[in-house]
Amino acid sequence: MKVGSLQHSYMVLTRLLDGKLLLISPTLPRAPVLHHFNLKSPVGGVEFSRDGKYLAVTISSLLHVYHTPNILMREFAPWRLHRTYAGHSGEVTGVSWSDDGRFLLSHATDQTARLFSLNPVEEFRPKTFAGHRDALRGAWFGGKNEDTVYTVSRDGALFIWGSKTKGDGTMLDNHLVDADPDHRVGHTRWGIVHKHYFNQPNTKVTCAAFHQPAGLLVVGFGDGVFSLWELPSSSAIEITVSNLYTLSISNEKISSVAINSTGQWLGFGAQKLGQLLVWEWQSQSYILKQQAHSHQASSSISHSSITHLSYSSSSKQIVTSGSDGKVKLWSTQSGFCFVTFSEHTASVTAVEFTKRGQVVFSASLDGTVRAWDLIRYRNFRTFTSPTERPVQFNCLAVDDSGELVAAGSSDTFEVFFWSVQTGKLLDLLTGHTGPVSSLAFSPVGNTLASGSWDKSVRLWDIIGRSRAVEPFSMNSDVLAVSYRPDGRELAVATLDGQISFFDVALGRQTGIIEGRRDISGGRSIYDGLTAKNNAGGKSFNSLSYSGDGTLLLAGGNSKYVCLYDIQEATLLKRFVISENLSLDGTEELLDSRKVNSAGINIDTLEDHGDDSDKEESLANANTLPGVMGGDMSKRRWKPTIRTSCVRFAPDGRGWAGASTEGLLLYTNEDNITFDPFDLSLDLTPQNVLKSLTNKEYLKALCMAIRLNEEQLIVRVFENIPQDDMKFVVAHLPLGENAYYLRRLVELLVKRLEKGPNLEGDLRWIIEVLERHGKLIRSNGNEWAGLVRGLTRGMTDVQTTISTICDQNANTLQYLIDQSRVKENHQEGMDIAA
């Protein structure tokens, strides 16, 4: 997916793999998509012009420029093509605009960059920047007057281009530049003035980004190393390319890099590891460092590998396990991972929070069950099997007291039972004849339920001396078991797609839900084109009861998660967890045009034509010694969409699901109230000023905030009288997570730093805190950044005022002292006279 952002506005354009463009607004959470457009071909890059009026899109070897759709008025055909540019012989991978928006610079895999004009210019012909020996990774305008062009190629070469000059130092074609100075970039005859090589051994450049105001170039390499360079401000001065930093941040290739608008933060993305880093290069510190559970299989598409999840008792934290052998803790409020445990040496199959205390348990295929202390963030207990060879644990259960932990084995078909305090094995439960797939402790009593692939569910009395075992026979392999919160009912999911309910006290079946047709949906690329989309192979592998025991959440190997009413045995809602076309099983209909003459879907064939990934393809091919071309029959595969675990939140406000897409959080809290400004077509700057003239200050401020134009917001804010300030603050809409209030506080934070009206701003701050202090305090984590900004601004104001007062006091004291000295001197003169 490519993203092109339009600064100083609220429009963002995204690109999908099948060439569909979506114009979206991040400020409209309910209906963010403004316009759709289908290009019917994969897109290489997208970029808005600086003024936002045009959009450049690269498709194959062509460059298309479209008029940006107008979101303030209805249009019959919002995507209007302005011009199409040709000339490249390879795939165009990116484009950049000049500051005035009159010229475009494209770069392609044909080792060249080309300069085009937006509109026809007299005596202008497209310029070609040739000389590189590998595909280009970036091309940008530079210099104070855009008298420089920078190009970076995949082999690590940086070329700096400037105007060609004569022997006397004057520019070639100087008469054209003098006759038409507005199109100086187009009339310049460009030439290479300097070559620089990054000299990173045994690796290639994978991505690059340039920040023109600061003259910073960031280059990412295939071995996880990046380098930061400071480029000259003009090609007319002495050329010096200085290296600021060269650091290694990842074990895999850096797939994307970006620089923020101020040039202080650098963003890096590693697709294979699901890694996102934000680094401040001046202080050499991380602003953000996040990494998802990464899949280590040889898939061409990055996807999550979360195997299990569990909520904390407060619902503020979630622990997840992955096939990468890691255990991660996530905050449900911020969505960030704040702790990662990596002591396991194999895939972690299950995790559980204790009902009391800050302890997490995890089971792994490495034959260990580990207990983690969330206060000191350490592994304080490790449980293993007593046998000579370690067994593989694939399920886990912890009792309500947190003193007993049980784990099921997939190879010995046994259930192991330990004491948390002593770490000793208390008992070994045998009886299953197949892998144990699921365990669950009863919320009341001392009963442990275990489900197995031997088509049975067993209830174990783990504390009583009788060791009574009550088996329930099923018609198919058992995949999941779950107790109702009152402990009187047990739900069992089997391989045939059924969910059975049992009365624990009576030991009989009380109900059944045929869920195979509910969970069926989504076609795999391996399915036959003429066959009906049957429900074969669809089943639930995770169950979760709601807090009151009336609802059941079920997820499995499908793109759907089903919510059932247990008493009526009816499907209430199907949640679609993903519509990502890069995952298999998300499409309902297959495209017969992708099937070749041999009856094979071309999406399953490895693409050997992309030179940029040839080394990676060869590394994953496992070819014989001496074979240089790789395995031409090697197939590529798309990860299948599925849900490995679902859980209701203990506070009843939502649920979480672990899927191929990652960790998904759903909530039933609808804080988004109706906002008429979202639906209005009259939301224009003219109407904002009209409302301001009519003294409708609240309406004008809300409309200005919705337009997201800073100058207009400041103008409306400064024109609100002090007498109407209390009314405006008291009646601000608090929908969408207090969006208007948040934007108002952001404005006040900025004005504290360099605002002209300090007294008025302080009155606004006092009124906001008095009216909405409880709301800000109750959502402390979400408002922490703004509160810190206010605190910092108030401290600076206090320091400044204190300094000025001290200086004034010292000045006044000095004047008084000088006046007294003068009076004493005058009195002395009078006495002497």
Side-chain angles (χ1 to χ4, degrees), residues 10 203 281 320 357 391 461 574 631 663 669 688 713 740 767:
Y10 52 91
T203 187
W281 65 273
T320 60
V391 299
D461 186 3
R574 286 201 306 180
D631 186 2
L663 180 60
E669 290 187 341
V688 173
I713 296 174
Y740 297 101
E767 188 64 29

Side-chain angles (χ1 to χ4, degrees), residues 29-267:
R30 282 209 163 183
V33 179
L34 303 177
H35 291 288
H36 297 259
F37 189 57
N38 189 1
L39 296 171
K40 301 179 181 179
S41 298
V43 179
V46 292
E47 189 70 27
F48 279 106
S49 62
R50 299 298 174 88
D51 57 6
K53 295 181 179 180
Y54 296 94
L55 174 68
V57 181
T58 65
I59 301 176
S60 185
S61 61
L62 300 177
L63 173 62
H64 303 276
V65 176
Y66 291 88
H67 291 272
T68 303
N70 191 341
I71 64 171
L72 300 180
M73 60 180 295
R74 297 181 183 274
E75 293 180 300
F76 176 73
W79 296 91
R80 291 183 293 114
L81 180 64
H82 177 70
R83 289 185 69 182
T84 298
Y85 303 88
H88 285 287
S89 59
E91 181 182 356
V92 183
T93 55
V95 60
S96 61
W97 289 81
S98 61
D99 283 340
D100 56 9
R102 296 176 177 176
F103 293 93
L104 304 92
L105 188 62
S106 62
H107 58 273
T109 58
D110 60 358
Q111 307 175 10
T112 64
R114 290 181 178 268
L115 179 67
F116 300 100
S117 65
L118 178 64
N119 297 307
V121 177
E122 187 177 355
E123 297 188 21
F124 169 79
R125 290 183 297 175
K127 305 295 192 300
T128 301
F129 299 82
H132 285 280
R133 298 186 177 182
D134 208 338
L136 295 189
R137 291 302 192 194
W140 308 273
F141 294 99
K144 296 181 180 179
N145 300 318
E146 293 189 335
D147 58 352
T148 308
V149 169
Y150 304 106
T151 57
V152 175
S153 62
R154 182 172 170 268
D155 58 358
L158 166 64
F159 287 5
I160 300 178
W161 305 75
S163 60
K164 292 183 178 180
T165 58
K166 302 177 183 178
D168 56 358
T170 59
M171 294 174 52
L172 293 176
D173 296 338
N174 195 28
H175 63 286
L176 296 177
V177 177
D178 295 338
D180 189 7
D182 293 338
H183 300 93
R184 180 180 182 277
V185 174
H187 293 311
T188 301
R189 187 175 297 184
W190 298 93
I192 300 175
V193 297
H194 183 73
K195 295 182 179 180
H196 180 81
Y197 299 92
F198 301 123
N199 296 325
Q200 287 291 329
N202 303 321
T203 187
K204 298 289 186 180
V205 175
T206 56
C207 56
F210 178 66
H211 187 265
Q212 183 177 354
L216 297 177
L217 175 66
V218 185
V219 182
F221 297 92
D223 56 356
V225 174
F226 84 92
S227 58
L228 179 63
W229 301 82
E230 186 176 9
L231 302 184
S233 59
S234 176
S235 61
I237 62 177
E238 183 180 356
I239 303 298
T240 55
V241 180
S242 56
N243 179 233
L244 300 179
Y245 298 103
T246 298
L247 298 173
S248 177
I249 59 173
S250 179
N251 297 325
E252 297 292 339
K253 74 173 183 178
I254 302 175
S255 55
S256 60
V257 62
I259 310 176
N260 73 332
S261 58
T262 61
Q264 298 177 350
W265 292 359
L266 311 179

